């Protein structure tokens, strides 16, 4: 069984035992977080409008971190304009413990 969850403006496919890197959550490592399921799949597919009533995904926060560096370079010809800037997006890694339907 799997579920589609939404967090941080993005949707993720969650299965029991899977690890997901989601947008940073305000929770400490070891905390338990719950997400509402937008869709449940498996033997029978249930699509919510917008969520499936009573369906929850329970996950544990494993760690916080930063993603790989993205380099933004700006350049304009003939005017000596060069800018270089990096960015690392923060994330939270979660471990899906259970899908309650």
């Amino acid at each position: 069984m799997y579920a589609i969850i939404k967090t941080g403006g993005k949707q993720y496919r969650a299965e029991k035992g899977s690890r997901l890197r989601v947008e940073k959550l305000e929770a400490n490592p070891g905390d338990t977080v719950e997400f509402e399921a937008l869709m449940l799949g498996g033997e029978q597919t249930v699509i919510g409008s917008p969520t499936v009533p009573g369906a929850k995904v329970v996950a544990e926060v494993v760690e916080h971190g930063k993603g790989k560096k993205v380099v933004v370079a700006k350049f304009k010809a003939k005017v000596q304009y060069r800018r270089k800037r990096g960015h690392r997006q923060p994330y939270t890694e979660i471990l899906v413990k259970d899908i309650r339907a």
Side-chain angles (χ1 to χ4, degrees), residues 13-64:
R13 179 183 167 137
E15 295 183 57
K16 187 174 181 179
S18 64
R19 286 178 170 240
L20 301 173
R21 283 190 174 183
V22 299
E23 291 294 319
K24 187 174 179 188
L25 300 173
E26 295 299 324
N28 296 321
D31 288 353
T32 302
V33 291
E34 286 189 358
F35 303 100
E36 293 185 2
L38 301 178
M39 182 181 115
L40 293 174
E43 302 261 334
Q44 183 179 5
T45 303
V46 180
I47 299 174
S49 58
T51 60
V52 178
K56 299 271 186 196
V57 175
V58 179
E60 178 185 339
V61 176
V62 178
E63 67 175 354
H64 296 291

